[in-house]
């Protein structure tokens, strides 16, 4: 979408997949929009190496100043725990100067992820299912109770059918 369309729609935060897109970051800042960005990953040879102590990122520079937070992704499964925690540590080490929050939307292990001082998202697709908004509220309360006390918890509100439902039409 064009930046002016996003601003006119009342959006105030945009998720940018490439944190190095300086022109986009500047344009969003100029229009008064905040940015959450997908963080870089340390260059490693194998997936297992991403969690190694030697894997690190270069410290972030002033060019990343428009970024409000780092977004690890959505629907992160419990099986990605080691990789996700490794990326969180790498990002925090590279972001010591700005100390921006790290966010992620997780599908389980709330008690584990919430130990890592992040803005933890929990969500699920519910449109076109038997899951009501009341059920969703109760489910969110259950997820909150699984997390460490004081964890910043957030959710996505689904406004469009899941891709599987669109394909079925």
């Amino acid at each position: 979408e064009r930046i002016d369309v996003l601003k006119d729609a009342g959006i105030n935060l945009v998720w940018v997949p490439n944190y190095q897109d300086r022109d986009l970051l500047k344009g969003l800042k100029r229009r008064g929009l905040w940015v959450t960005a997908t963080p870089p990953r340390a260059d490693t040879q194998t997936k297992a190496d991403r969690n190694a102590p030697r894997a690190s990122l270069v410290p972030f520079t002033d060019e990343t100043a428009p970024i409000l937070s780092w977004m690890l992704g959505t629907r992160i499964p419990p099986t990605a725990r080691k990789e996700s925690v490794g990326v969180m540590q790498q990002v925090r080490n590279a972001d010591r100067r700005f100390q921006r929050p790290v966010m992620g939307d997780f599908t389980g292990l709330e008690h584990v992820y919430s130990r890592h001082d992040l803005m933890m998202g929990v969500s699920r697709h519910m449109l076109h299912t038997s899951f009501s908004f009341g059920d969703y509220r109760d489910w969110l309360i259950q997820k909150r109770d699984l997390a460490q006390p004081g964890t910043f918890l957030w959710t996505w509100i689904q406004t469009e059918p899941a891709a599987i439902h669109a394909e079925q039409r």
Side-chain angles (χ1 to χ4, degrees):
E1 300 291 334
R2 292 188 342 255
I3 295 173
D4 58 331
V5 171
L6 296 174
K7 181 68 176 178
D8 292 344
I11 292 171
N12 62 5
L13 180 70
V14 178
W15 183 3
V16 174
N18 181 0
Y19 81 101
Q20 292 178 314
D21 189 338
R22 293 178 182 97
D23 291 336
L24 178 58
L25 293 179
K26 287 178 187 175
L28 291 166
K29 184 177 181 177
R30 233 184 345 265
R31 293 288 290 157
L33 295 170
W34 286 100
V35 173
T36 188
T38 302
R41 304 287 173 119
D43 290 331
T44 57
Q45 296 299 316
T46 68
K47 188 175 180 179
D49 287 341
R50 289 184 185 145
N51 302 312
R54 70 184 183 289
S56 63
L57 298 170
V58 174
F60 298 123
T61 64
D62 286 339
E63 293 171 340
T64 66
I67 297 171
L68 180 66
S69 62
W70 297 105
M71 177 56 136
L72 299 179
T74 60
R75 315 233 6 104
I76 301 169
T79 56
R81 179 183 58 82
K82 285 186 179 182
E83 181 180 355
S84 298
V85 170
V87 171
M88 277 187 250
Q89 292 169 340
Q90 292 166 3
V91 168
R92 285 205 175 100
N93 286 336
D95 203 31
R96 286 184 185 155
R97 179 173 167 212
F98 296 100
Q99 299 182 0
R100 290 170 280 215
V102 176
M103 304 172 67
D105 178 40
F106 302 94
T107 61
L109 293 180
E110 292 80 9
H111 65 288
V112 173
Y113 284 118
S114 63
R115 292 182 194 143
H116 295 281
D117 190 29
L118 75 154
M119 298 171 67
M120 188 171 68
V122 293
S123 60
R124 68 184 288 174
H125 293 269
M126 58 175 280
L127 294 182
H128 303 290
T129 71
S130 61
F131 210 67
S132 70
F133 283 102
D135 293 335
Y136 192 59
R137 179 205 57 223
D138 295 343
W139 180 82
L140 289 171
I141 290 169
Q142 289 173 351
K143 293 295 188 177
R144 179 201 62 201
D145 291 346
L146 290 172
Q148 298 291 315
T151 299
F152 184 98
L153 198 71
W154 59 274
T155 191
W156 298 107
I157 302 295
Q158 183 184 0
T159 59
E160 298 177 355
I164 188 79
H165 296 299
E167 291 170 9
Q168 290 174 352
R169 282 192 272 154

